């Protein structure tokens, strides 16, 4: 039997009274909690899965998007502090932009005394500080859509639909604006184990980039590579979930 686990508008999923671990998933730019909707059915019963629902999409279409990634992380961390009260340990999983959000949230949870048991990042290298990479101008819509078509040609077709594009484009635009400006100061070194995952043919996150997470963790990260491109998660879902279950026992 499950009990509702979405005690705020930020989280989607259910909670089981006997769960030993809570996996919290952070979507990619333009993505939504629905990307992870079938993960709970594919994981062991002792593992609960919640997904973060960013503003500006799906059932939060009318909620304003945050101005910065730090603002987004602040609010998600607050929701997770409430969700984690007297519950099992948290593990954070982020894909692409979600990796950056999960990293920021992990630091905030550590400050609140509930550091996650593990951070799992996917399809993205570690954040860069302003001394490494200057903030850049947010890309225009044409640049954004070229990028999305490179990473996910099938999914990008939605943005060509004349009725859907005005509805879904604002959230994607806001996500890319946050990423363009994200240069954390200080660049926090997390005292939690990190697993970095990626596709062997990812055009924006080469395999070598996954090792960059060693710069922001006090432990050497585990790097796992799967067959596929940036969205290797979809065809290799069962393999990824098997890895997560093995690491979270």
């Amino acid at each position: 039997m499950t009990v509702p686990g979405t005690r705020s508008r930020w989280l989607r999923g259910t909670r089981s009274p006997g769960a030993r671990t809570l996996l919290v998933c952070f979507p990619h730019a333009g993505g939504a909690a629905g990307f992870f909707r079938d993960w709970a059915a594919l994981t062991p019963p002792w593992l609960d899965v919640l997904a973060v629902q960013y503003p500006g999409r799906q059932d939060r279409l009318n909620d304003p998007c945050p101005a910065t990634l730090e603002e987004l992380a602040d609010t998600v961390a607050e929701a997770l502090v409430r969700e984690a009260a007297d519950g099992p340990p948290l593990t954070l999983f982020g894909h692409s932009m979600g990796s950056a959000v999960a990293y920021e949230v992990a630091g905030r949870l550590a400050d609140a005394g509930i550091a996650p048991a593990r951070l799992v990042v996917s399809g993205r290298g570690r954040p860069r500080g302003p001394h490494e990479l200057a903030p850049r101008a947010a890309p225009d819509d044409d640049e954004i859509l070229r990028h999305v078509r490179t990473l996910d040609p099938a999914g990008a077709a939605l943005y060509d639909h004349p009725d859907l594009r005005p509805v879904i484009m604002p959230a994607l635009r806001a996500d890319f604006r946050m990423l363009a400006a994200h240069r954390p100061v200080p660049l926090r070194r997390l005292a939690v184990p990190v697993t970095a995952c990626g596709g062997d043919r990812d055009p924006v996150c080469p395999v070598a980039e996954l090792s960059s997470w060693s710069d922001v963790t006090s432990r050497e990260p585990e790097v796992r590579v799967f067959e596929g491109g940036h969205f290797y998660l979809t065809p290799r879902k069962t393999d990824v979930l098997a890895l997560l279950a093995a690491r979270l026992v």
Side-chain angles (χ1 to χ4, degrees), residues 43-55:
T43 53
W46 51 263
L47 175 60
D48 277 349
V49 180
L50 296 182
V52 176
Q53 184 73 303
Y54 304 141

Side-chain angles (χ1 to χ4, degrees), residues 180-201:
H182 183 232
R183 299 292 182 271
V185 180
L187 199 60
R188 182 192 294 261
R189 186 175 288 273
L190 300 173
V192 301
V194 172
T195 297
C197 302
D200 61 1
R201 300 188 304 277

Side-chain angles (χ1 to χ4, degrees), residues 142-157:
D142 288 339
E143 292 175 290
I144 291 171
L145 291 177
R146 280 197 299 270
H147 186 79
V148 171
R149 289 186 182 104
T150 298
L151 301 184
D152 184 19

Side-chain angles (χ1 to χ4, degrees), residues 28-242:
H28 52 280
F35 183 75
F36 303 101
R37 79 164 49 87
D38 60 344
W39 279 34
L42 299 172
T43 53
W46 51 263
L47 175 60
D48 277 349
V49 180
L50 296 182
V52 176
Q53 184 73 303
Y54 304 141
R57 61 212 78 197
Q58 292 186 340
D59 59 343
R60 299 193 64 192
L61 191 63
N62 295 322
D63 290 352
C65 295
T68 67
L69 196 142
E70 289 82 1
E71 178 186 335
L72 174 60
D74 285 342
T75 314
V76 175
E78 290 174 5
L80 287 177
V81 167
R82 294 191 296 271
E83 189 69 32
D86 301 319
L90 298 173
T91 287
L92 308 185
F93 177 94
H95 179 62
S96 199
M97 181 187 84
S99 296
V101 183
Y103 163 78
E104 292 284 357
V105 170
R108 285 157 174 78
L109 293 178
D111 290 342
I114 52 171
R118 181 175 292 269
L119 171 65
V120 185
V121 292
S122 169
R124 191 174 185 85
R126 61 123 170 131
R128 262 61 180 184
H131 62 290
E132 299 175 286
L133 191 65
R136 61 186 186 275
D140 61 27
D141 286 2
D142 288 339
E143 292 175 290
I144 291 171
L145 291 177
R146 280 197 299 270
H147 186 79
V148 171
R149 289 186 182 104
T150 298
L151 301 184
D152 184 19
L158 288 174
Y159 294 94
D160 295 325
H161 194 288
D163 295 327
L164 290 178
R165 181 168 174 167
V167 177
I168 61 180
M169 192 67 199
L172 183 65
R173 189 183 299 125
D175 290 349
F176 272 80
R177 182 185 65 237
M178 290 192 299
L179 286 171
H182 183 232
R183 299 292 182 271
V185 180
L187 199 60
R188 182 192 294 261
R189 186 175 288 273
L190 300 173
V192 301
V194 172
T195 297
C197 302
D200 61 1
R201 300 188 304 277
D202 190 332
V204 295
C205 182
V207 169
E209 181 67 8
L210 297 174
S211 297
S212 68
W213 286 94
S214 63
D215 298 334
V216 293
T217 177
S218 60
R219 312 181 191 187
E220 189 65 22
E222 174 190 27
V223 174
R224 294 299 300 265
V225 180
F226 297 86
E227 181 182 357
H230 189 66
F231 283 96
Y232 72 93
L233 280 175
T234 301
R236 306 299 293 183
K237 185 184 307 180
T238 56
D239 295 332
V240 173
L241 291 175

